[in-house]
Amino acid sequence: MAAGSESRLQLIHRHIRAFPDFPNTGILFRDICPILKDPAALTAVIDLFEEHVRKNYKQVDLIVGLDARGFLFGPLLAQRLCVGFVLVRKKGKLPGATVSVAYNLEYGKAEAEIQEDAVAPGQKVLIIDDLLATGGTLYAACELMKKQQAEVLGCMVVIELKELNGFERLKPHSVFSLVKY
């Protein structure tokens, strides 16, 4: 990575706080709130995502953001790329006709949904979120895109928790992570 990219990654890394035993005992929570509070750190995140997309993808039609922290980074990136932004929400949060998919969480089940007309067949999409842990939510988003007949170019996250192997669940889709723990 170029020197400028490396210094931006260091800035991002310095703005991620760790909270032991949150929300449950034994979990080390990685908090992105300091990134959002610091304009330089937030700009660094979006700069690095933008560089990755421009270098690796000739055409992107939409950025698809996951509820809720993907909503923080996705619109900023979409604006930079001059493409649209689409929401993937928890079931029951979107008006109108929706398409949904059920998926497993570490401690239960959930459903994600998208508005039926949000993504057209054949559109090229990148999916964005703040964190990749076990991959359940990102996998559900990929499945929603499959239902919509969209082409998932890849997934992008600020933080990846490598020991949980979430990237394995997302194969064959690629995962771009800024910071790995």
Side-chain angles (χ1 to χ4, degrees):
M1 219 174 250
S5 295
E6 199 57 46
S7 64
R8 287 181 287 186
L9 282 173
Q10 290 171 3
L11 176 65
I12 293 164
H13 199 273
R14 285 195 311 269
H15 283 80
I16 298 171
R17 291 187 296 192
F19 286 94
D21 298 323
F22 183 84
N24 299 314
T25 302
I27 293 178
L28 181 62
F29 186 86
R30 302 292 180 169
D31 180 24
I32 60 157
C33 290
I35 290 173
L36 301 171
K37 185 177 170 183
D38 184 275
L42 180 56
T43 298
V45 167
I46 303 307
D47 285 349
L48 291 169
F49 280 147
E50 180 185 10
E51 286 173 15
H52 172 75
V53 172
R54 291 195 188 279
K55 179 180 176 186
N56 294 287
Y57 304 104
K58 291 179 183 173
Q59 180 189 352
V60 175
D61 297 313
L62 294 171
I63 301 296
V64 176
L66 296 157
D67 196 347
R69 292 185 187 103
F71 299 173
L72 302 171
F73 301 105
L76 296 172
L77 179 59
Q79 183 180 40
R80 290 258 192 107
L81 298 171
C82 297
V83 301
F85 176 76
V86 172
L87 307 170
V88 170
R89 302 266 347 239
K90 294 174 179 96
K91 184 139 178 82
K93 300 291 183 181
L94 290 171
T98 60
V99 176
S100 66
V101 65
Y103 64 100
N104 292 321
L105 296 168
E106 294 87 331
Y107 306 106
K109 294 182 182 256
E111 272 190 84
E113 68 182 359
I114 190 167
Q115 289 176 318
E116 191 175 74
D117 61 355
V119 179
Q123 283 193 299
K124 297 176 184 328
V125 303
L126 284 166
I127 302 172
I128 192 167
D129 203 5
D130 68 322
L131 180 109
L132 171 59
T134 62
T137 309
L138 277 167
Y139 177 80
C142 290
E143 290 298 300
L144 277 174
M145 294 303 103
K146 187 189 297 184
K147 280 187 170 188
Q148 296 296 89
Q149 300 172 25
E151 180 184 342
V152 176
L153 300 173
C155 301
M156 300 184 301
V157 294
V158 178
I159 301 168
E160 179 180 343
L161 304 178
K162 291 188 312 186
E163 67 188 29
L164 298 177
N165 295 318
F167 67 94
E168 289 288 339
R169 190 168 186 186
L170 297 172
K171 287 182 177 177
H173 305 297
S174 64
V175 177
F176 176 71
S177 310
L178 296 179
V179 177
K180 296 181 183 185
Y181 292 101

